[in-house]
């Protein structure tokens, strides 16, 4: 496997311009969801470059497609329902859109990358017809068992035309955290336009590039995420397909996300809110339309790594024990890039039983159920899914009983005392 260099980078995923500006190079990493069984520990592992580029024409921050999506998403370990906070987010979203857009039993809702039905089950419970599209068969099965109609497929223009012919167009198309995983963005957005009723609404959520850069969230970069969007870049992508963004919410999820509301250009029943203009100004002021503004990020990332490693080295020198909490995809980018193995973390824990008894890819840290922490009473618990830190600190408050403390690695290493409520 050859490392890509400036001359071998693929053309831009949106505008096809040649792309040769490095955003950050995180070295070589395994696929972040490829957890290992014990019998795989002595085998060779595939590592791929995590070299991120930024397009100087449309400013899409992007990874090359080092691995085919079929190889990543056909059997996937991520089940949305293992986070209470995410389920609550889905419930609130449903309440909001049902009321705002007057959805009822005569409406039709489609979610792209519907995962285990965590969101659509809220629509089904209200008697609103809904269909999920999910490429991972093992995850779609869970949704179907819970009464959420799901088609196992990758979404694009061809599938959209099929659905229109069979079931008609949608009043609401939802795409949460899927845009980053789409190899052909133009085909995907074209498909959404085909599938949308003349008066319908699209909402998409994705981590906001502005927050990724401000808060050093380099660990949200992994091979499954091909693209990282600013508002301005997303707006130009939708505009190229005659879809207009008419509203935007800034959300705390995944370290700071945007929820965009899009409609057909011809549909003037939904006026464009002031929030759109405000966000456009904010990103313009931050320099998101100048290539030089993207150059600082790589140094911030190195600093973040040094600070985390300094903390861990000091802790180990002082004879302290450190374990992890969580085995999320982002944790695997962090552990591999920083070179953190069982020399620093004795083990990590996760609520997802699919991961128990397995090992983190590349770094081979064993994954146990959360109860393990109460048995071994470590001095420090490093929270890898820092976007759920409040939930985890609440659930694991018991570590305060023996003086244990939480550590959060991002935006930079920080201790959180365990308060025993
Ligand atoms: Zn481009």
């Amino acid at each position: 496997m050859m490392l890509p260099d400036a001359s071998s980078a693929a053309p831009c995923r949106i505008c096809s311009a040649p792309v040769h500006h490095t955003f950050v190079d995180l070295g070589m990493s395994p696929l972040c969801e490829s957890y290992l069984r014990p019998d795989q520990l002595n085998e060779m592992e595939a590592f791929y470059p995590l070299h991120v580029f930024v397009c100087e024409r449309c400013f899409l921050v992007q990874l090359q497609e080092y691995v085919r999506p079929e190889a990543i998403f056909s059997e996937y370990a991520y089940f949305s329902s293992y986070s209470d906070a995410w389920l609550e987010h889905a419930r609130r979203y449903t309440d909001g859109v049902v009321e705002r857009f007057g959805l009822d039993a005569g409406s039709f809702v489609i979610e792209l990358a519907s995962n285990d039905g965590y969101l659509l089950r809220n629509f089904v419970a209200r008697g609103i017809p809904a269909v999920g599209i999910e490429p991972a068969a093992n995850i779609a099965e869970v949704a179907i068992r819970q009464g959420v109609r799901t088609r196992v497929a990758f979404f694009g223009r061809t599938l959209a035309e099929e659905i229109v012919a069979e079931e008609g167009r949608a009043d609401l198309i939802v795409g949460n955290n899927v845009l980053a995983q789409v190899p052909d963005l133009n085909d995907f957005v074209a498909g959404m336009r085909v599938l949308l009723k003349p008066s319908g609404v699209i909402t998409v959520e994705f981590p906001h590039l502005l927050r990724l850069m401000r808060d050093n969230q380099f660990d949200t970069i992994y091979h499954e995420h091909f693209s990282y969007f600013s508002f301005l870049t997303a707006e130009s992508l939708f505009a190229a397909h005659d879809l207009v963004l008419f509203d935007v919410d800034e959300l705390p999820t995944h370290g700071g996300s945007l929820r965009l509301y899009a409609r057909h250009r011809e549909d003037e029943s939904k006026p464009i809110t002031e929030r759109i203009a405000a966000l456009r100004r904010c990103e313009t002021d931050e320099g998101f339309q100048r290539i030089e503004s993207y150059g600082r990020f790589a140094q911030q990332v190195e600093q973040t790594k040094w600070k985390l490693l300094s903390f861990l080295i000091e802790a180990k020198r002082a004879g302290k024990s450190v374990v992890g909490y969580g085995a999320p995809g982002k944790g695997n980018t962090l552990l591999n890039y920083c070179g953190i193995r069982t020399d620093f973390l004795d083990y990590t824990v996760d609520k997802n039983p699919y991961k128990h008894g397995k090992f983190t890819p590349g770094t081979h840290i064993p994954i146990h159920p959360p109860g393990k922490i109460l048995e071994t009473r470590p001095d420090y618990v490093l929270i890898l899914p820092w976007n759920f830190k409040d939930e985890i600190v609440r659930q694991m408050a018991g570590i305060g009983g023996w003086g244990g403390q939480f550590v959060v690695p991002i935006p930079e290493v920080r201790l959180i005392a365990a308060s025993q409520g």
Side-chain angles (χ1 to χ4, degrees), residues 311 315-316 318-323 346-347 373 376-382 399-400 402-407 415-418:
F311 168 81
K316 297 310 280 186
K320 306 287 190 190
S321 55
V322 190
V323 305
D346 297 342
Y347 60 85
I373 289 180
T376 71
R377 301 161 74 94
D379 297 300
Y380 295 113
V381 175
L382 176 67
I399 73 166
W402 61 82
Q405 288 180 286
F406 297 101
V407 186
L415 284 174
I416 303 176

Side-chain angles (χ1 to χ4, degrees), residues 290-350:
R290 283 182 287 114
I291 193 74
E292 309 80 51
S293 310
Y294 295 84
R296 295 186 298 269
F297 184 64
Q299 285 109 55
Q300 281 170 233
V301 170
E302 282 185 5
Q303 297 280 346
T304 308
K305 171 178 177 170
W306 296 343
K307 285 175 190 161
L308 176 60
L309 285 176
S310 297
F311 168 81
L312 289 172
I313 290 167
E314 283 311 308
K316 297 310 280 186
R317 277 205 179 117
K320 306 287 190 190
S321 55
V322 190
V323 305
Y325 188 102
K330 61 165 66 67
N332 290 325
T333 293
L334 181 95
L335 298 171
N336 277 289
Y337 171 65
C338 296
I340 297 169
R341 300 182 178 78
T342 50
D343 45 0
F344 288 118
L345 293 190
D346 297 342
Y347 60 85
T348 190
V349 300
D350 201 278

Side-chain angles (χ1 to χ4, degrees), residues 11-19 54-60 62 233:
C12 173
R13 183 162 289 120
I14 291 182
C15 76
S16 301
V19 170
V54 54
C55 173
E56 65 183 291
R57 191 196 288 168
C58 74
F59 304 104
L60 180 68
Q62 56 198 295
T233 297

